[in-house]
Structures are given as structure tokens and as C-alpha cells.
Amino acid sequence: MSGDGRGLEFAFDNSYQRLPDRFYARLDPTRVSAPRLIKLNVALAELLGLDAATLASPTGIAMLAGNRVPGGAQPIAMAYAGHQFGGFVPQLGDGRAILLGEVVGRDGVRRDIQLKGSGPTPFSRRGDGRAALGPVLREYVVSEAMNALGISTTRALAAVASGDYVFRETQLPGAVFTRVALSHIRVGTFQYFAARDDIEALRLLADYVIGRLYPELKGTDRPYLALLGAVCERQAALVASWLLVGFIHGVMNTDNMSIAGETIDYGPCAFMDSFDPATVYSSIDQKGRYAYGSQPSIAQWNLARFAETLLPLIDSDQETAVTAATDVLNRFPELFSSNYIVGLRAKVGLRTAEEDDGALITQFLGLMRSSHADFTRSFRLLADVLSNDNSRAVAFRSMFTDAGALDAWLQAWQARLTREGVDAHEAGARMRSVNPVYIPRNHLVEEVIRAGVDRGDFAPFEALVEVLSQPFNEQEGRERYAMPPAPHEIVHETFCGT
Ligand code: AMP
Ligand code: MG
């Protein structure tokens, strides 16, 4: 089928496919019965330099379904390994995804275009290579919401219903998702070659990553040590940005940690409603390994696994390599904290730094926790305390159980703002530009999945995607999207759905 892309030609420029054969398996996607376009991300298509009208045409949809390989694509399934819940699996790989190739966008950035749910590959193990519609809708909604929130993430180019059924616990409608990423190289990609003592491949991979993702490191003194440092920096910033919006990835296995520093793999991910660092939603995370508040330490654990793969490249003397890598890894907590505190200060309207800011903001989080207050709304409505609109300040206060403690805290906070000499109106506006009104709340995501999967009704999905594209702006008539779930709407558990 490769090359059968007449009439469908994109400016692919595939660099990963120029790496040796042992990095991947070449194969075409498997056909689906009756592809139907659910959603095309027109703005992203334009950014990528792809013609949206062509993509939405029958030949374009055939490509997005895996039924037709466009000219210039070189489909592969990438090889990788990974630690899953702490246990090492030497071979995972793309079991249900196929990388079509790379395009350089209008912004000059090179990105992968990958189909997910596109049929079995040599890495499928016992899986069917397919994706169910529900998880595809979930990934579309949440990854695009993350992007609109300003968080580094893989993107959603399209969702296509396949017309086939997939079999999980029950029979479910299938779909194919088109994912766009700065690269799909993971910590697990390095682990794959490290597990095989393939130092030559590790060096090729590291050089490839530096050339593509970290070009500023080329020709530096110790490029592989610098690579470790740079990946740590991106992950520290990423995980801090997650915590600042209440995001729980849910399955931070090393094969789901991107070397490019993007959020990747939206399986059982969830946004926290009421604030509690121990929050876990994923049905498969029995021990809470990937709880909200554990994400920074898990990121560091994963980065230690990455560091181990780089040791032979860092120095021929192992002890020297270990010492150097450990020094870099040990900086991670501080890297994380500095990103996190900068974000927290912004959330409460502070522009300058004072020694006790961390303690002040921690107190506010403590009040949220003891009141089971909604994390997103608490920060969003805090700005209303500064406004003259009393009814809004009342809504804020009503979320907290201990009015006395809240008042004491508000006084301390306002005193701190006053020391900064800021205008209350201006501080409020700044707070609203970083504290979202709308996040992809679990009950809303669940609702659009049910409508799409059970009733073939994608209007609620469209509406939610639309609301979440402007997360910081209050949208008239969309108030219910800003609200936490009513008790009967609370989603207690999320599923991978693979
Ligand atoms: P994930 O939990 O989505 O990160 O997937 C972990 C591994 O399982 C990866 O190697 C996936 O490619 C593979 N996998 C997940 N779902 C399927 C499926 N339905 N068929 C084949 N492989 C799968
Ligand atoms: Mg994965």
C-alpha cells in the first residue's frame, strides 16, 4: 500500500526513518471498514502546513484512518522499552501506533504525525492494535485543553471513527486518533537500547535527539551530560505546570515520559476537583504510585532511569559518569520547586518574591484541603475578593468551612499584595490570566464520551472542545462548564481503556 498516495501528497521529511533498522519496524497501518471523520483540528493542520480541505476530503479521511498511506510517508512502529509501575519491560514499542513521518510546520518546527489505533504491529504483544472511541475522544479533549492552558503537550490532529468494533470488557466502537508530537522518543526508547547493551544505538539516538530537540547542546563540552540536564529542566517545568492546574497524568511509566518534555499518553489522566495531594483516579494505580502530589518525585525517578542509559556515553569511567549524572539528577527537586513557586506566586497575584511566599500559599492550599474546596475554582475566584462585586466574593467564601481561618489568611495575603504596591484591579486581571475558569473536568469528559459512544452524538464533544479552547475567558452561557461536579456526578475512577 505504501506509495499509494496519489492525490495525497504532504511535504514529509522523515529523519527518524534514516536511523538504523533496529530502531523500528516498517509496516503500513491496517485498513478499517468505514472511516468517518469526527473531528479535524483545522488550526493545527494549518500550523503543520497541511491542507485542511484535503484532510477533510475522502482521501484525507482515508489517510487519517490508516486506509491510505500518503505520498512521502514512511510508516513505522517505533521500538521502546519501559518501566511500568516500577517493573522493567525490555520490549514494549508501538503496539497500536504507526508513525507516518515528520513535517516541518509553518513555524519551522519539525513534528511527528502518528496514527494511534491503526492496527497490530510486531510490538502488539497480546493487544489488538486498536483504540476504542471513548479514549480517543478523551485524548482529543484533554490534550487540546492542555495546549490551550499553555502546557507542553502532544496535540490532536484528528479523530476518525473506524466503523469497526473493538473488544474490551464489552464490544465498543473503534476509532483512530492522529497524534502530533515534537517527537515520540521516550525515556523508554533509550532503555530499549541500554537493555541490549547497544552503545552504538544509544549514541546515535542521543545525537539524533540533540540534533532535533536540543540543538543548542551540539558541540558543547559534555553533550550527553548536558542532554540529561536539559531533559531534567523540561520535565521539571512540565510537572510543575501539571501541578499548577491540578493535572494528574495517571500512568507516568518511563515509556510515557517524552524526551522532548511534552505531556504524552492520555490514558487514565484526570484533573483534580477538590484539592488533595493524595488524589488518584486511575483504576490501575492501586497503590497510588502516580498520585497528584507524587508526580515530582516520580519524574525524578524516571529521569534516574534515563540517566542510567546515558552513563556509557557520559564517561568511559563508570564511577566518573555516575558521579556526574547524580549531581545533575540531584538538582531536580530544586528545578521543580523553582518552577512551581513561580507559578504559585502568579496564581495568587504576586509579581515579586519574598522568603515566606511558599508558606503563605501552602496555607491557602491547606485551607482548600480541609474544606475539600475545588482547586480550580478556589484560585479562579480568589481574584474576586479584590473586586468590589460582593456577590462574587461570597461565592469564593462559601467554598471554605473555617471562615475565621480564611479571613486570617486573606488578610495576610492582602497585606502581602499591598507590600508589593500593586493595584488590586491589575492584580486581579493577572490572576485571571493564569487561573483557568474551564478545565476538562472528569464528569464533563465522561458526559461527552457517553454521548458520542452510546448515542453517536458528537455535539457535546464539539461544545466542550470549543469551551476549553479559551480556558481563561469567562464565556456567557457556559457557566455549567466551570462548575465542579455535583455529588452524583463525581467520577471516582478513570480507565486506560487500552
Ligand atoms: P500505554 O499503557 O498506553 O502506555 O501502553 C503500554 C504499551 O502497551 C505500549 O507498548 C502500547 O503500544 C501497548 N498497547 C496498549 N494498548 C494496546 C493495544 N490495544 N494493542 C496493542 N498494544 C497496545
Ligand atoms: Mg504509552
Side-chain angles (χ1 to χ4, degrees), residues 80 186 255-256 265:
Y80 56 85
R186 309 134 191 275
D255 51 304
N256 293 334
D265 220 314

Side-chain angles (χ1 to χ4, degrees), residues 80 84 92-93 96 116 179 186 251 253 255-257 264-265:
Y80 56 85
Q84 299 192 305
L92 289 165
R96 55 162 176 168
K116 192 169 163 185
R179 179 162 68 184
R186 309 134 191 275
V251 57
N253 294 332
D255 51 304
N256 293 334
M257 181 181 263
I264 188 169
D265 220 314

Side-chain angles (χ1 to χ4, degrees), residues 119-319:
T121 77
F123 303 109
S124 295
R125 296 174 293 158
R126 284 179 300 280
D128 61 0
R130 290 304 183 186
L133 175 59
V136 164
L137 296 177
R138 167 186 281 277
E139 176 154 358
Y140 197 112
V141 168
V142 184
S143 63
E144 286 305 300
M146 291 287 271
N147 180 64
L149 288 165
I151 296 172
S152 178
T153 177
T154 62
R155 303 287 308 274
L157 180 61
V160 172
S162 65
D164 296 318
Y165 284 105
V166 299
F167 299 90
R168 298 295 180 257
E169 258 130 56
T170 56
Q171 176 178 288
L172 297 166
V176 180
F177 180 77
T178 308
R179 179 162 68 184
V180 172
L182 285 178
S183 133
H184 283 85
I185 298 171
R186 309 134 191 275
V187 168
T189 318
F190 282 84
Q191 291 181 291
Y192 179 85
F193 296 111
R196 287 158 182 77
D197 281 325
D198 189 343
I199 313 288
E200 187 198 326
L202 278 170
R203 193 179 300 277
L204 282 170
L205 182 63
D207 288 340
Y208 176 84
V209 164
I210 290 171
R212 179 169 172 183
L213 301 169
Y214 299 92
E216 67 281 7
L217 304 182
K218 238 185 300 187
T220 53
D221 228 13
R222 304 176 81 179
Y224 306 115
L225 188 64
L227 174 62
L228 174 62
V231 173
C232 285
E233 276 177 31
R234 284 200 197 175
Q235 284 296 333
L238 180 69
V239 174
S241 70
W242 289 354
L243 264 62
L244 291 165
V245 296
F247 178 75
I248 307 167
H249 183 284
V251 57
M252 287 176 73
N253 294 332
T254 57
D255 51 304
N256 293 334
M257 181 181 263
S258 158
I259 294 295
E262 291 181 320
T263 313
I264 188 169
D265 220 314
Y266 292 87
C269 64
F271 278 72
M272 179 170 65
D273 293 308
S274 56
F275 177 72
D276 183 348
T279 306
V280 177
Y281 287 98
S282 170
S283 63
I284 55 171
D285 192 3
Q286 299 290 344
K287 294 184 185 151
R289 179 180 171 89
Y290 301 137
Y292 169 81
S294 304
Q295 296 182 113
S297 59
I298 282 292
Q300 188 178 7
W301 190 90
N302 288 349
L303 289 163
R305 307 288 80 74
F306 177 49
E308 285 162 5
T309 72
L310 294 176
L311 291 176
L313 307 182
I314 289 173
D315 204 290
S316 54
D317 176 61
Q318 188 172 346
E319 214 175 304

Side-chain angles (χ1 to χ4, degrees), residues 29-184:
T30 307
R31 295 184 66 87
V32 301
S33 306
R36 191 166 73 81
L37 184 65
I38 296 169
K39 178 94 181 142
L40 175 68
N41 189 336
V42 173
L44 180 59
E46 277 162 9
L47 175 65
L48 297 174
L50 307 180
D51 182 53
T54 306
L55 283 174
S57 74
T59 37
I61 296 169
M63 166 192 143
L64 297 169
N67 282 4
R68 186 164 183 163
V69 175
Q74 293 170 287
I76 59 168
M78 293 167 73
Y80 56 85
H83 275 89
Q84 299 192 305
F85 292 91
F88 186 62
V89 185
Q91 180 169 310
L92 289 165
D94 289 333
R96 55 162 176 168
I98 286 188
L99 176 65
L100 291 177
E102 300 152 27
V103 294
V104 177
R106 295 209 170 141
D107 54 359
V109 176
R110 173 182 297 271
R111 293 183 183 84
D112 283 358
I113 300 183
Q114 190 203 59
L115 302 181
K116 192 169 163 185
S118 49
T121 77
F123 303 109
S124 295
R125 296 174 293 158
R126 284 179 300 280
D128 61 0
R130 290 304 183 186
L133 175 59
V136 164
L137 296 177
R138 167 186 281 277
E139 176 154 358
Y140 197 112
V141 168
V142 184
S143 63
E144 286 305 300
M146 291 287 271
N147 180 64
L149 288 165
I151 296 172
S152 178
T153 177
T154 62
R155 303 287 308 274
L157 180 61
V160 172
S162 65
D164 296 318
Y165 284 105
V166 299
F167 299 90
R168 298 295 180 257
E169 258 130 56
T170 56
Q171 176 178 288
L172 297 166
V176 180
F177 180 77
T178 308
R179 179 162 68 184
V180 172
L182 285 178
S183 133
H184 283 85

